[in-house]
Amino acid sequence: MVCQVIRVAVAGASGYAGGEALRLLAGHPEVEVGAVTAASSAGARLGYVHPHLLPLADRVLAETTPELLAEHDAVVLALPHGASAALAAQLPADVLVLDCGADHRLADPVAWKTFYGSEHAGTWPYGMPELLTGATSKQRDALVGARRVAVPGCYPTGISLALAPGFAAGLLEPADVVVVAASGTSGAGKGLKANLLGSEVMGSMSPYGVGGVHRHTPEVEQNLTGAAGEPVTVSFTPTLAPMPRGILATCTARVRAGVTAAQLRDAWQQAYADEPFVVVLPEGSWPRTSDVLGSNVVEMGLALDERVGRVVVVAAEDNLTKGTAGAAVQCLNLAFGLPETLGLPRTGVAP
Amino acid sequence: MVCQVIRVAVAGASGYAGGEALRLLAGHPEVEVGAVTAASSAGARLGYVHPHLLPLADRVLAETTPELLAEHDAVVLALPHGASAALAAQLPADVLVLDCGADHRLADPVAWKTFYGSEHAGTWPYGMPELLTGATSKQRDALVGARRVAVPGCYPTGISLALAPGFAAGLLEPADVVVVAASGTSGAGKGLKANLLGSEVMGSMSPYGVGGVHRHTPEVEQNLTGAAGEPVTVSFTPTLAPMPRGILATCTARVRAGVTAAQLRDAWQQAYADEPFVVVLPEGSWPRTSDVLGSNVVEMGLALDERVGRVVVVAAEDNLTKGTAGAAVQCLNLAFGLPETLGLPRTGVAP
Amino acid sequence: MVCQVIRVAVAGASGYAGGEALRLLAGHPEVEVGAVTAASSAGARLGYVHPHLLPLADRVLAETTPELLAEHDAVVLALPHGASAALAAQLPADVLVLDCGADHRLADPVAWKTFYGSEHAGTWPYGMPELLTGATSKQRDALVGARRVAVPGCYPTGISLALAPGFAAGLLEPADVVVVAASGTSGAGKGLKANLLGSEVMGSMSPYGVGGVHRHTPEVEQNLTGAAGEPVTVSFTPTLAPMPRGILATCTARVRAGVTAAQLRDAWQQAYADEPFVVVLPEGSWPRTSDVLGSNVVEMGLALDERVGRVVVVAAEDNLTKGTAGAAVQCLNLAFGLPETLGLPRTGVAP
Amino acid sequence: MVCQVIRVAVAGASGYAGGEALRLLAGHPEVEVGAVTAASSAGARLGYVHPHLLPLADRVLAETTPELLAEHDAVVLALPHGASAALAAQLPADVLVLDCGADHRLADPVAWKTFYGSEHAGTWPYGMPELLTGATSKQRDALVGARRVAVPGCYPTGISLALAPGFAAGLLEPADVVVVAASGTSGAGKGLKANLLGSEVMGSMSPYGVGGVHRHTPEVEQNLTGAAGEPVTVSFTPTLAPMPRGILATCTARVRAGVTAAQLRDAWQQAYADEPFVVVLPEGSWPRTSDVLGSNVVEMGLALDERVGRVVVVAAEDNLTKGTAGAAVQCLNLAFGLPETLGLPRTGVAP
């Protein structure tokens, strides 16, 4: 364990991801919150922008500059896609940079170009420690001591963890994976859009990004391909649910001939037996997003539908915690050699 | 058009489906609400059980008996599964019986036994007028003048209408259909269960009936098989959403080789061009459950995901209106030779 | 009854009040929806702006001009405060103008100036037919045949109807009236404000306009003063509730010495015994906003708190229906000599 | 500070208050969760009853017996009203008993009898450290080293803290206090009641306990009377809001002649300047319940309505945290000489 406190800056602190990073960092026993920066909100009191962050209420948002950020041990970038690469390039190599944006997640420049439309900024270690990268290996190894981390997208977190055990164990067909996920509205950010008004979203479900065009699709495929050792393709449809937080991902894949329910359950349980933040629920139990509200945990349940030859895995997470800021803090712990669970809640706020 | 008013009784009037039937019937220009009956709530004022039904507030719930129901031109049965068959058998053949329960929906006794566990009660004309039963034929023909109607299940309504055009046109593969749907809590009924308390469902999404065990699965397969002319199998996962009403069904199927987006759109538009209660939204538009709140309309949007060779159709409906009681009233109109749209809202209550 | 259809234009049709006016007018048997106009949304399809209004989906929003509006029998103005006076002045005297804005509600120019800050535009007949204007007289008389109507504010509707019977009967003290009301978010309009995002309002209650500064305060005082025959002052605090629609107004006033619960109940029941849209619930029953969703009804319950000498009246309404657009249609019926209830729902959409 | 860990039992652990106590105790650095007990749920896994409490998932609920509870340093009683007195009488005097029920809150046996209908069980030190009990004295003194604590009711917490500064400073009239509060549904408990179903509460506001009959009324009056030094009477109306957690209390009282806004603000700021869990927001800022979700903080804003001579104070709290279980833990800290804020969140989980 390091002997002195770790000073962490948050860039893009006025948004929902930045706010959640601050909530977790403010309660982390080895961290001191340093600079909090923003763009259009620079100059505002944090108590005005995030009234729920009482202990930081008197902090004032500064302009986001590389000079200011560089004075810290670690920097959380909670910026719009495309904004982090240029900034990160100006930060010293020994400062830990945790990019909550997508800029450095994809290894394939073609996939990047197809889904994001801009030039590829290069690939950083992917911040999902529990992700199987083969039959037994996990992504964690790449994160210990890292100084650049691409924090995963919110949807890919639940989806990839939900399906990777089956692919890593060779139990699933790589084609015809279908995922439908429901997200709380904070996943759509704090930007002012008519379809995100409370009057529009309360009491309503709606889809978006239909037809395989959501940008998290190639990220999921990359993760599952890594676990499977062969190309996996995914049909992914996101929907917007009338709740502020939470993702429920319903993930199905065809099982290979002869695969049994017991084999499936074994594979999932083995994959996550020692993981503090991934829970495979007992048979017949299913996750609820409310149970992981504010917690860094992904909960999942699974069942085999023998009639149609598909496994169905349903995973719940908090899109802002394990889906974004919690993953960033978890990677910070790994990067600095701290206990991986430090400062990260394993209880949800329910009901 | 009939010359005298149609007297309609509602059995099981204390539940959500019964209440919605009464809401629609009370506003129907050719209908007079007759007896309203219940089991444990018999004796209660309707104003106590359904305070939203102001014009009927002073009605008193009677015991459900065949004698009482038999005095009407039509009877809506909004009873638990298994309760309607015995009752219907005691009603005269010339009384229109609209069964909102499942008892008479399935043609296959084996499927019934597998999913419901009891003896098959026989099959009635299926009350989904817009359902394609072949390349161009529709279910409507079987409903004109009928006196026994099996009102469809809430999930099967949106799902079947969402996918039937592609199957009827021969554009979709019959295997590997995957559907994930979110329902408002009224779909789970008014029974007192801890998981349906407001404190538990608000702000939360959760699955249930995972693994292909939900009872609406064979009903969907029956409908799509009818449209396709060959056996269709479906992986179906329902989820509970934090809203009182509404179903959003995300339905995907593999397209046959060479099928184009234009072909798909043509098939869907042709199927529903003349339908007052089924809307295919313009390209790039997607339905929201709030837009059909209290309306008898199913709205849907579709897109082809060429990367994975799947069409994705997302449909929204009000589970209590078009998904149950509105369908019953629509069938009543057909059965009695009234204009099909009489007394049925085509506007939703939004926002 | 008039023999030909009434052509009604809606100006400001893109907002929530305008949308609700269109929903009701589209279902009104004696009305034809004429021009639908807007400001920044002019040129858009109505199906894009209000996807729930299916029967009007292909209408196109026009620019709001007096020339276009003048071609109609009636015009509903659903414009921001301050915008309707200038427009109304350019409309012919025989066109019925129903102003959903505040411009013509207040009789006192000083109160107007204090709360709205601009010049007073004059006073029109106030569109609350059920409002007692003395011991037995009601506001209805002023509306029959009117061609200019100031449609009431959403909060004043429930609050004024909740308390007027006690003031008209001389049972209440005119000072120390206290009202706290909760409104759904549609009451705050469709403007893009960060505090109205779904992520901010879901799961949260918050006050606004605290300290007697909300603009509906003088309107309530004017109404209650009219009923009492002496000046009534009100402490009013509005709050924002996590629901799209609905107002629940908790209204308390001190009772005069010796007033009994029976006297209070009698006064309220007599006041509204013949009113189709105002319901006094039986003793021990209390209203819920969900029961009047989409309905033109105000429901209320009352109790005497003898310990503190106060009557507490709680009223529920739909802020967009009886609170705005339903009241406009009700006044249109009165103005044109139609049955007052024509085209106005008395059932709510619940659950 | 004590040198060894404090073992705490929770009786009534299956309900919402018990669950929240466990959430906080599981994260308290000086506490070890001991026995968790229940009545009808005895024998169940805690992971089944409270799936959000992952670190305690494998605990099994035991029967509630005095013998089992007596083995602990402290016992949290989260039982129905009337159940705690008998149990507490059987616990050793040196075991800290934190009673979340009402049994030991009221000093006046007549008030107890009037509102609760049973025999008075005696009065314990009242667990609201920040409550002014005179011009400058606070309730905290009575809690240091206590072994019996009556944890306050959820409504009285926000209401009493909202108004006590004005009474303690002699700025408010003791009569005509009016409070209207909105509570999330968890305040109504986990019992199965039809009006608490999600379908009934979502999208709806409704009152209950109208007319001064809610049992928290005498508790609020007792607290304000203590602060004022003269009898204070309160008109209190609670309402149910469509959210799982949170209380927003709108509290108004008449100010004495000549009292200014500045005097009011000074009184409130002085009262809570050093309090970690009570925040007086800057002028023009107002609290939201979402900002204190899961936090032990009460936030409040105030304004003087000079027209009607009333101060309006609006306070937000989490009914389960500061309103119940957080207060219990805060009192535990005081009772055992620990830092008062230990283990208690001051950040909310927002959005």
Side-chain angles (χ1 to χ4, degrees):
Chain A
M1 192 177 297
V2 294
C3 297
Q4 72 263 50
V5 77
I6 299 167
R7 292 194 71 242
V8 184
V10 176
S14 59
Y16 290 142
E20 182 72 351
L22 288 171
R23 183 178 77 87
L24 295 172
L25 293 169
H28 192 294
E30 303 288 335
V31 161
E32 179 185 295
V33 174
V36 287
T37 78
S40 61
S41 297
R45 281 180 72 243
L46 205 56
Y48 177 78
V49 174
H50 290 305
H52 63 295
L53 299 177
L54 188 58
L56 302 171
D58 291 329
R59 296 292 189 94
V60 175
L61 287 160
E63 291 280 351
T64 304
T65 66
E67 294 74 21
L68 178 58
L69 300 177
E71 296 165 11
H72 297 77
D73 301 306
V75 176
V76 176
L77 300 180
L79 303 169
H81 296 319
S84 50
L87 188 63
Q90 302 178 66
L91 295 176
D94 63 342
V95 172
L96 170 62
V97 182
L98 300 148
D99 185 5
C100 295
D103 294 23
H104 306 93
R105 292 177 195 154
L106 296 187
D108 178 5
V110 175
W112 175 267
K113 182 83 181 178
T114 303
F115 280 86
Y116 290 86
S118 57
E119 287 313 301
H120 192 225
T123 313
W124 289 357
Y126 187 68
M128 194 184 291
E130 307 90 344
L131 180 66
L132 284 158
T133 53
T136 56
S137 58
K138 287 188 177 171
Q139 182 63 19
R140 181 171 284 113
D141 297 342
L143 297 164
V144 177
R147 285 299 175 268
R148 292 291 183 273
V149 175
V151 179
C154 53
Y155 284 119
T157 298
I159 299 168
S160 305
L161 294 174
L163 289 176
F167 283 111
L171 303 174
L172 305 181
E173 299 280 357
D176 261 320
V177 177
V178 176
V179 176
V180 178
S183 174
T185 52
S186 62
K190 214 174 177 172
L192 297 179
K193 296 173 190 163
N195 67 316
L196 296 178
L197 286 175
S199 299
E200 304 289 319
V201 298
M202 286 188 284
S204 195
M205 295 278 308
S206 58
Y208 64 103
V210 185
V213 299
H214 192 282
R215 289 171 165 179
H216 285 172
T217 308
E219 187 178 337
V220 170
E221 291 183 341
Q222 172 175 295
N223 293 344
L224 298 181
T225 295
E230 62 181 325
V232 174
T233 54
V234 176
S235 162
F236 170 50
T237 307
T239 67
L240 196 65
M243 56 190 191
R245 288 183 179 224
I247 284 178
L248 189 83
T250 302
C251 312
T252 83
R254 279 192 285 144
V255 297
R256 293 197 193 275
V259 168
T260 65
Q263 281 178 290
L264 291 165
R265 185 155 289 276
D266 281 355
W268 262 260
Q269 284 177 336
Q270 282 181 28
Y272 300 127
D274 300 326
E275 292 295 345
F277 294 125
V278 184
V279 174
V280 180
L281 294 169
E283 195 167 346
S285 288
W286 302 101
R288 304 185 301 181
T289 62
S290 53
D291 288 326
V292 292
L293 183 82
S295 131
N296 199 51
V297 171
V298 175
E299 298 204 348
M300 63 185 70
L302 73 152
L304 172 62
D305 182 348
E306 295 191 8
R307 284 179 60 258
V308 302
R310 280 185 171 268
V311 67
V312 185
V313 191
V314 188
E317 57 165 285
D318 185 316
N319 56 303
L320 294 179
T321 318
K322 180 60 175 165
T324 306
V329 172
Q330 189 178 349
C331 292
L332 177 148
N333 287 340
L334 285 168
F336 286 124
L338 298 167
E340 190 171 334
T341 59
L342 210 62
L344 289 167
R346 292 179 66 236
T347 54
V349 180
Chain B
M1 192 178 297
V2 295
C3 297
Q4 70 262 51
V5 78
I6 300 168
R7 293 194 71 241
V8 185
V10 176
S14 60
Y16 290 142
E20 182 72 351
L22 289 171
R23 184 178 77 88
L24 296 172
L25 293 169
H28 192 293
E30 304 288 336
V31 162
E32 179 186 293
V33 174
V36 289
T37 77
S40 61
S41 298
R45 280 180 71 243
L46 206 56
Y48 177 78
V49 174
H50 291 305
H52 64 295
L53 299 178
L54 188 56
L56 302 171
D58 292 329
R59 297 292 189 92
V60 174
L61 287 160
E63 291 280 349
T64 303
T65 67
E67 294 73 23
L68 179 59
L69 300 177
E71 296 166 11
H72 297 78
D73 301 306
V75 176
V76 176
L77 301 180
L79 303 169
H81 296 319
S84 50
L87 188 62
Q90 303 178 65
L91 295 176
D94 63 341
V95 171
L96 170 62
V97 182
L98 301 149
D99 184 4
C100 295
D103 294 23
H104 306 93
R105 291 179 196 153
L106 296 187
D108 178 5
V110 175
W112 176 267
K113 183 85 181 176
T114 304
F115 280 87
Y116 289 87
S118 56
E119 288 312 301
H120 191 225
T123 313
W124 289 357
Y126 187 70
M128 194 183 290
E130 308 90 344
L131 180 65
L132 285 158
T133 54
T136 57
S137 58
K138 286 188 177 173
Q139 182 63 20
R140 181 172 286 112
D141 297 341
L143 297 164
V144 176
R147 285 298 176 268
R148 292 290 184 273
V149 175
V151 179
C154 54
Y155 285 119
T157 298
I159 298 167
S160 304
L161 295 174
L163 289 176
F167 283 110
L171 303 174
L172 306 180
E173 299 279 358
D176 261 321
V177 177
V178 177
V179 176
V180 178
S183 174
T185 52
S186 61
K190 216 172 174 173
L192 297 179
K193 297 174 189 162
N195 67 316
L196 296 177
L197 286 174
S199 299
E200 305 289 319
V201 298
M202 286 188 283
S204 193
M205 294 281 307
S206 57
Y208 64 104
V210 184
V213 299
H214 193 280
R215 290 171 165 181
H216 285 172
T217 308
E219 187 178 338
V220 170
E221 291 183 343
Q222 173 175 293
N223 293 345
L224 298 182
T225 294
E230 63 179 325
V232 174
T233 53
V234 176
S235 161
F236 170 48
T237 307
T239 67
L240 195 66
M243 56 191 190
R245 288 185 178 225
I247 285 179
L248 189 83
T250 302
C251 312
T252 83
R254 278 192 286 143
V255 297
R256 293 198 193 276
V259 168
T260 65
Q263 280 177 288
L264 291 165
R265 185 154 289 277
D266 281 354
W268 263 259
Q269 283 177 337
Q270 283 181 27
Y272 300 127
D274 299 326
E275 293 295 346
F277 294 125
V278 184
V279 175
V280 180
L281 295 169
E283 194 167 346
S285 287
W286 301 101
R288 304 185 301 179
T289 62
S290 53
D291 288 326
V292 292
L293 183 82
S295 133
N296 199 50
V297 172
V298 174
E299 299 204 347
M300 63 185 71
L302 73 153
L304 173 61
D305 182 348
E306 295 191 7
R307 285 179 59 258
V308 302
R310 281 185 170 267
V311 65
V312 185
V313 191
V314 188
E317 57 164 286
D318 185 317
N319 56 304
L320 292 180
T321 319
K322 181 58 175 164
T324 306
V329 173
Q330 190 177 348
C331 292
L332 177 147
N333 287 340
L334 284 169
F336 286 123
L338 298 168
E340 190 171 335
T341 60
L342 211 62
L344 289 168
R346 292 178 67 235
T347 52
V349 180
Chain C
M1 192 178 294
V2 294
C3 297
Q4 72 264 50
V5 77
I6 299 167
R7 293 195 70 241
V8 185
V10 176
S14 59
Y16 290 141
E20 182 71 352
L22 288 171
R23 184 178 76 88
L24 296 172
L25 293 169
H28 192 293
E30 303 288 336
V31 161
E32 180 186 293
V33 174
V36 289
T37 78
S40 61
S41 298
R45 279 181 74 243
L46 206 57
Y48 177 77
V49 174
H50 291 304
H52 64 295
L53 300 177
L54 188 58
L56 303 171
D58 291 329
R59 298 291 189 91
V60 174
L61 287 161
E63 291 280 350
T64 304
T65 67
E67 294 74 23
L68 179 58
L69 299 178
E71 297 166 11
H72 297 78
D73 301 306
V75 176
V76 176
L77 300 179
L79 304 168
H81 296 318
S84 50
L87 188 62
Q90 302 179 66
L91 295 176
D94 64 341
V95 171
L96 170 62
V97 182
L98 300 149
D99 184 5
C100 296
D103 294 22
H104 305 93
R105 291 179 197 154
L106 295 187
D108 178 4
V110 175
W112 176 267
K113 182 85 181 177
T114 304
F115 280 86
Y116 289 87
S118 56
E119 287 312 302
H120 191 226
T123 314
W124 290 357
Y126 187 69
M128 194 183 291
E130 307 90 345
L131 181 65
L132 284 159
T133 55
T136 57
S137 58
K138 286 188 177 173
Q139 182 63 19
R140 181 172 284 113
D141 297 341
L143 298 165
V144 176
R147 285 299 176 268
R148 293 291 184 274
V149 175
V151 179
C154 54
Y155 284 119
T157 297
I159 299 168
S160 305
L161 294 173
L163 289 176
F167 283 112
L171 303 175
L172 306 180
E173 300 278 357
D176 261 319
V177 178
V178 176
V179 176
V180 178
S183 174
T185 52
S186 61
K190 215 172 176 173
L192 297 179
K193 296 174 190 163
N195 67 315
L196 296 178
L197 285 174
S199 299
E200 304 290 319
V201 298
M202 286 188 282
S204 194
M205 294 280 306
S206 58
Y208 65 104
V210 184
V213 299
H214 192 281
R215 289 170 165 182
H216 285 172
T217 308
E219 187 178 339
V220 171
E221 291 183 341
Q222 172 174 296
N223 293 345
L224 297 182
T225 294
E230 62 179 326
V232 175
T233 54
V234 177
S235 162
F236 171 50
T237 306
T239 66
L240 196 66
M243 56 191 190
R245 288 182 178 225
I247 284 179
L248 189 83
T250 302
C251 313
T252 83
R254 279 191 286 144
V255 298
R256 293 199 193 275
V259 168
T260 65
Q263 280 177 290
L264 291 165
R265 186 155 289 276
D266 280 354
W268 262 260
Q269 282 177 337
Q270 282 181 30
Y272 300 127
D274 299 326
E275 293 295 346
F277 295 125
V278 184
V279 175
V280 180
L281 295 169
E283 195 167 344
S285 287
W286 301 102
R288 304 185 301 180
T289 62
S290 52
D291 289 325
V292 292
L293 184 81
S295 131
N296 199 51
V297 171
V298 174
E299 299 204 347
M300 62 185 69
L302 73 152
L304 172 62
D305 183 347
E306 296 192 8
R307 283 180 60 258
V308 303
R310 281 185 170 267
V311 66
V312 184
V313 191
V314 188
E317 56 164 287
D318 186 317
N319 57 304
L320 293 179
T321 319
K322 180 59 175 164
T324 306
V329 172
Q330 190 178 348
C331 292
L332 178 148
N333 288 340
L334 284 169
F336 286 123
L338 298 168
E340 191 171 334
T341 59
L342 211 62
L344 289 168
R346 292 178 66 236
T347 53
V349 180
Chain D
M1 191 178 299
V2 295
C3 297
Q4 71 264 50
V5 77
I6 299 168
R7 292 194 71 242
V8 185
V10 176
S14 60
Y16 290 142
E20 182 72 352
L22 288 171
R23 185 179 76 88
L24 296 172
L25 293 169
H28 192 293
E30 303 288 336
V31 162
E32 179 185 293
V33 174
V36 288
T37 78
S40 61
S41 297
R45 279 181 72 242
L46 206 57
Y48 177 77
V49 175
H50 291 304
H52 63 294
L53 299 177
L54 188 57
L56 302 171
D58 291 330
R59 296 292 188 94
V60 175
L61 287 161
E63 291 280 350
T64 304
T65 66
E67 294 73 22
L68 179 58
L69 300 177
E71 296 166 10
H72 298 78
D73 301 305
V75 176
V76 176
L77 301 179
L79 303 169
H81 296 319
S84 49
L87 189 63
Q90 302 178 64
L91 295 176
D94 63 341
V95 171
L96 170 62
V97 182
L98 300 149
D99 184 4
C100 295
D103 295 21
H104 305 93
R105 291 178 196 154
L106 296 187
D108 178 4
V110 175
W112 175 266
K113 182 83 179 178
T114 303
F115 281 86
Y116 289 87
S118 56
E119 288 311 300
H120 191 226
T123 313
W124 290 356
Y126 187 69
M128 195 184 290
E130 307 89 344
L131 180 66
L132 284 158
T133 54
T136 55
S137 58
K138 287 187 177 173
Q139 183 63 19
R140 181 172 285 111
D141 297 342
L143 297 164
V144 177
R147 284 300 175 267
R148 292 292 183 273
V149 175
V151 179
C154 54
Y155 285 118
T157 298
I159 299 168
S160 305
L161 294 174
L163 289 176
F167 283 111
L171 302 175
L172 305 181
E173 299 280 357
D176 262 319
V177 177
V178 177
V179 176
V180 178
S183 175
T185 53
S186 61
K190 214 173 179 174
L192 297 180
K193 298 174 189 162
N195 68 316
L196 297 178
L197 285 174
S199 299
E200 304 289 320
V201 299
M202 286 188 284
S204 194
M205 295 280 306
S206 59
Y208 65 103
V210 184
V213 300
H214 193 282
R215 289 171 165 181
H216 285 172
T217 308
E219 187 178 337
V220 170
E221 291 183 342
Q222 173 175 294
N223 293 344
L224 298 182
T225 294
E230 62 181 324
V232 175
T233 54
V234 176
S235 161
F236 170 49
T237 307
T239 66
L240 195 66
M243 56 190 191
R245 289 184 177 222
I247 284 179
L248 189 82
T250 302
C251 312
T252 82
R254 278 193 286 144
V255 298
R256 294 197 193 275
V259 167
T260 66
Q263 281 177 289
L264 291 164
R265 185 154 289 279
D266 281 356
W268 262 260
Q269 284 177 336
Q270 282 181 29
Y272 300 126
D274 299 327
E275 293 294 345
F277 295 124
V278 184
V279 174
V280 180
L281 294 169
E283 195 167 345
S285 287
W286 301 101
R288 304 185 300 179
T289 61
S290 53
D291 289 325
V292 292
L293 183 82
S295 131
N296 199 51
V297 171
V298 175
E299 299 205 346
M300 62 186 71
L302 74 153
L304 173 61
D305 182 347
E306 295 193 6
R307 284 179 58 259
V308 303
R310 280 184 170 269
V311 67
V312 184
V313 191
V314 189
E317 56 164 287
D318 186 316
N319 56 304
L320 292 180
T321 318
K322 180 59 175 165
T324 307
V329 172
Q330 189 178 347
C331 293
L332 177 148
N333 288 339
L334 284 168
F336 286 123
L338 298 167
E340 189 171 336
T341 58
L342 210 64
L344 289 167
R346 291 178 67 234
T347 53
V349 179

